[in-house]
Short mmCIF file of all heavy atoms in Angstrom, two decimals:
data_model
loop_
_atom_site.label_atom_id
_atom_site.label_comp_id
_atom_site.label_asym_id
_atom_site.label_seq_id
_atom_site.Cartn_x
_atom_site.Cartn_y
_atom_site.Cartn_z
N ALA Q 287 -77.60 88.76 120.08
CA ALA Q 287 -76.28 89.25 119.67
C ALA Q 287 -76.44 90.63 119.05
O ALA Q 287 -77.21 90.80 118.10
CB ALA Q 287 -75.63 88.29 118.69
N VAL Q 288 -75.71 91.61 119.58
CA VAL Q 288 -75.90 93.01 119.19
C VAL Q 288 -74.61 93.57 118.61
O VAL Q 288 -73.52 93.30 119.12
CB VAL Q 288 -76.33 93.86 120.40
CG1 VAL Q 288 -76.71 95.27 119.97
CG2 VAL Q 288 -77.50 93.19 121.13
N HIS Q 289 -74.73 94.36 117.54
CA HIS Q 289 -73.55 94.98 116.93
C HIS Q 289 -73.78 96.48 116.77
O HIS Q 289 -74.88 96.99 116.96
CB HIS Q 289 -73.24 94.34 115.57
CG HIS Q 289 -74.32 94.52 114.55
ND1 HIS Q 289 -74.54 95.71 113.91
CD2 HIS Q 289 -75.25 93.65 114.07
CE1 HIS Q 289 -75.55 95.58 113.06
NE2 HIS Q 289 -76.00 94.34 113.15
N GLY Q 290 -72.72 97.18 116.39
CA GLY Q 290 -72.80 98.62 116.18
C GLY Q 290 -73.40 98.97 114.84
O GLY Q 290 -73.93 98.13 114.12
N TRP Q 291 -73.32 100.26 114.50
CA TRP Q 291 -73.90 100.78 113.26
C TRP Q 291 -72.83 100.94 112.18
O TRP Q 291 -71.65 101.09 112.46
CB TRP Q 291 -74.50 102.16 113.48
CG TRP Q 291 -75.68 102.21 114.38
CD1 TRP Q 291 -76.69 101.30 114.49
CD2 TRP Q 291 -75.99 103.25 115.32
NE1 TRP Q 291 -77.60 101.69 115.42
CE2 TRP Q 291 -77.21 102.90 115.94
CE3 TRP Q 291 -75.39 104.46 115.67
CZ2 TRP Q 291 -77.81 103.69 116.90
CZ3 TRP Q 291 -75.98 105.25 116.63
CH2 TRP Q 291 -77.18 104.87 117.24
N ILE Q 292 -73.29 100.93 110.95
CA ILE Q 292 -72.50 101.48 109.86
C ILE Q 292 -72.86 102.96 109.75
O ILE Q 292 -74.03 103.32 109.68
CB ILE Q 292 -72.81 100.77 108.52
CG1 ILE Q 292 -72.33 99.32 108.58
CG2 ILE Q 292 -72.17 101.50 107.35
CD1 ILE Q 292 -70.83 99.17 108.60
N THR Q 293 -71.85 103.82 109.78
CA THR Q 293 -72.10 105.26 109.76
C THR Q 293 -71.65 105.88 108.44
O THR Q 293 -70.89 105.29 107.67
CB THR Q 293 -71.37 105.97 110.91
OG1 THR Q 293 -69.95 105.85 110.70
CG2 THR Q 293 -71.73 105.35 112.26
N PHE Q 294 -72.13 107.10 108.22
CA PHE Q 294 -71.71 107.87 107.06
C PHE Q 294 -71.68 109.32 107.49
O PHE Q 294 -72.66 109.84 108.03
CB PHE Q 294 -72.67 107.66 105.89
CG PHE Q 294 -72.17 108.23 104.59
CD1 PHE Q 294 -71.18 107.56 103.88
CD2 PHE Q 294 -72.66 109.42 104.08
CE1 PHE Q 294 -70.70 108.07 102.67
CE2 PHE Q 294 -72.18 109.93 102.88
CZ PHE Q 294 -71.21 109.26 102.18
N ASN Q 295 -70.53 109.98 107.29
CA ASN Q 295 -70.35 111.36 107.74
C ASN Q 295 -70.63 111.50 109.24
O ASN Q 295 -71.23 112.48 109.70
CB ASN Q 295 -71.24 112.33 106.95
CG ASN Q 295 -70.82 112.44 105.50
OD1 ASN Q 295 -69.64 112.22 105.18
ND2 ASN Q 295 -71.75 112.74 104.63
N GLY Q 296 -70.22 110.48 110.00
CA GLY Q 296 -70.33 110.56 111.44
C GLY Q 296 -71.68 110.24 112.03
O GLY Q 296 -71.86 110.29 113.24
N GLN Q 297 -72.66 109.92 111.20
CA GLN Q 297 -74.00 109.62 111.69
C GLN Q 297 -74.41 108.20 111.32
O GLN Q 297 -73.94 107.65 110.32
CB GLN Q 297 -75.03 110.59 111.10
CG GLN Q 297 -74.89 112.03 111.55
CD GLN Q 297 -76.00 112.88 110.96
OE1 GLN Q 297 -76.23 112.87 109.76
NE2 GLN Q 297 -76.69 113.62 111.81
N LYS Q 298 -75.30 107.62 112.13
CA LYS Q 298 -75.88 106.33 111.78
C LYS Q 298 -76.49 106.43 110.39
O LYS Q 298 -77.21 107.38 110.08
CB LYS Q 298 -76.94 105.94 112.79
CG LYS Q 298 -77.69 104.67 112.42
CD LYS Q 298 -78.98 104.55 113.21
CE LYS Q 298 -79.83 103.42 112.64
NZ LYS Q 298 -81.18 103.37 113.25
N MET Q 299 -76.22 105.43 109.54
CA MET Q 299 -76.78 105.43 108.20
C MET Q 299 -78.28 105.20 108.29
O MET Q 299 -78.76 104.31 108.98
CB MET Q 299 -76.13 104.36 107.34
CG MET Q 299 -76.34 104.55 105.86
SD MET Q 299 -75.39 103.34 104.90
CE MET Q 299 -73.72 103.90 105.24
N SER Q 300 -79.06 106.04 107.57
CA SER Q 300 -80.51 105.97 107.68
C SER Q 300 -81.14 106.59 106.44
O SER Q 300 -80.68 107.61 105.94
CB SER Q 300 -80.97 106.74 108.93
OG SER Q 300 -82.34 106.99 108.91
N LYS Q 301 -82.23 105.95 105.96
CA LYS Q 301 -82.95 106.51 104.81
C LYS Q 301 -83.50 107.88 105.15
O LYS Q 301 -83.44 108.81 104.35
CB LYS Q 301 -84.10 105.57 104.40
CG LYS Q 301 -83.66 104.22 103.89
CD LYS Q 301 -84.82 103.41 103.36
CE LYS Q 301 -85.76 102.96 104.45
NZ LYS Q 301 -85.19 101.88 105.27
N SER Q 302 -84.07 108.03 106.36
CA SER Q 302 -84.71 109.29 106.72
C SER Q 302 -83.71 110.41 106.94
O SER Q 302 -84.07 111.59 106.88
CB SER Q 302 -85.57 109.10 107.99
OG SER Q 302 -84.79 108.59 109.04
N LYS Q 303 -82.43 110.08 107.16
CA LYS Q 303 -81.40 111.11 107.29
C LYS Q 303 -80.77 111.47 105.95
O LYS Q 303 -79.99 112.41 105.85
CB LYS Q 303 -80.31 110.65 108.26
CG LYS Q 303 -80.76 110.62 109.71
CD LYS Q 303 -79.61 110.22 110.61
CE LYS Q 303 -80.05 110.20 112.07
NZ LYS Q 303 -78.95 109.80 112.97
N GLY Q 304 -81.09 110.70 104.92
CA GLY Q 304 -80.57 110.98 103.59
C GLY Q 304 -79.10 110.72 103.43
O GLY Q 304 -78.46 111.27 102.53
N ASN Q 305 -78.50 109.87 104.30
CA ASN Q 305 -77.06 109.60 104.21
C ASN Q 305 -76.76 108.14 103.86
O ASN Q 305 -75.70 107.63 104.18
CB ASN Q 305 -76.37 109.99 105.52
CG ASN Q 305 -76.82 109.12 106.69
OD1 ASN Q 305 -77.75 108.33 106.56
ND2 ASN Q 305 -76.16 109.28 107.83
N ALA Q 306 -77.73 107.49 103.24
CA ALA Q 306 -77.59 106.06 102.96
C ALA Q 306 -76.75 105.83 101.70
O ALA Q 306 -76.85 106.57 100.73
CB ALA Q 306 -78.97 105.43 102.79
N VAL Q 307 -75.93 104.77 101.76
CA VAL Q 307 -75.13 104.34 100.61
C VAL Q 307 -75.91 103.26 99.85
O VAL Q 307 -76.37 102.30 100.45
CB VAL Q 307 -73.77 103.81 101.06
CG1 VAL Q 307 -72.99 103.22 99.89
CG2 VAL Q 307 -72.96 104.91 101.74
N ASP Q 308 -76.06 103.44 98.54
CA ASP Q 308 -76.80 102.48 97.73
C ASP Q 308 -76.01 101.18 97.65
O ASP Q 308 -74.89 101.15 97.13
CB ASP Q 308 -77.01 103.06 96.33
CG ASP Q 308 -77.92 102.19 95.47
OD1 ASP Q 308 -77.86 100.95 95.58
OD2 ASP Q 308 -78.70 102.75 94.67
N PRO Q 309 -76.58 100.07 98.14
CA PRO Q 309 -75.82 98.81 98.14
C PRO Q 309 -75.59 98.27 96.74
O PRO Q 309 -74.59 97.57 96.51
CB PRO Q 309 -76.72 97.87 98.95
CG PRO Q 309 -78.08 98.44 98.83
CD PRO Q 309 -77.91 99.92 98.75
N PHE Q 310 -76.46 98.57 95.80
CA PHE Q 310 -76.28 98.07 94.44
C PHE Q 310 -75.09 98.76 93.77
O PHE Q 310 -74.34 98.13 93.02
CB PHE Q 310 -77.56 98.25 93.63
CG PHE Q 310 -78.70 97.40 94.12
CD1 PHE Q 310 -79.69 97.94 94.93
CD2 PHE Q 310 -78.77 96.05 93.81
CE1 PHE Q 310 -80.73 97.16 95.40
CE2 PHE Q 310 -79.81 95.26 94.27
CZ PHE Q 310 -80.79 95.81 95.08
N ASP Q 311 -74.91 100.05 94.06
CA ASP Q 311 -73.72 100.74 93.56
C ASP Q 311 -72.45 100.14 94.17
O ASP Q 311 -71.45 99.93 93.47
CB ASP Q 311 -73.79 102.23 93.90
CG ASP Q 311 -74.84 102.97 93.08
OD1 ASP Q 311 -75.32 102.41 92.07
OD2 ASP Q 311 -75.20 104.10 93.47
N ALA Q 312 -72.51 99.86 95.48
CA ALA Q 312 -71.35 99.29 96.15
C ALA Q 312 -71.04 97.89 95.62
O ALA Q 312 -69.87 97.53 95.42
CB ALA Q 312 -71.60 99.23 97.66
#
Side-chain angles (χ1 to χ4, degrees):
V288 188
H289 63 74
W291 294 323
I292 293 291
T293 66
F294 191 76
N295 292 333
Q297 293 183 309
K298 174 197 170 188
M299 197 174 292
S300 166
K301 295 187 291 287
S302 56
K303 289 183 179 179
N305 65 352
V307 174
D308 187 324
F310 293 100
D311 289 345

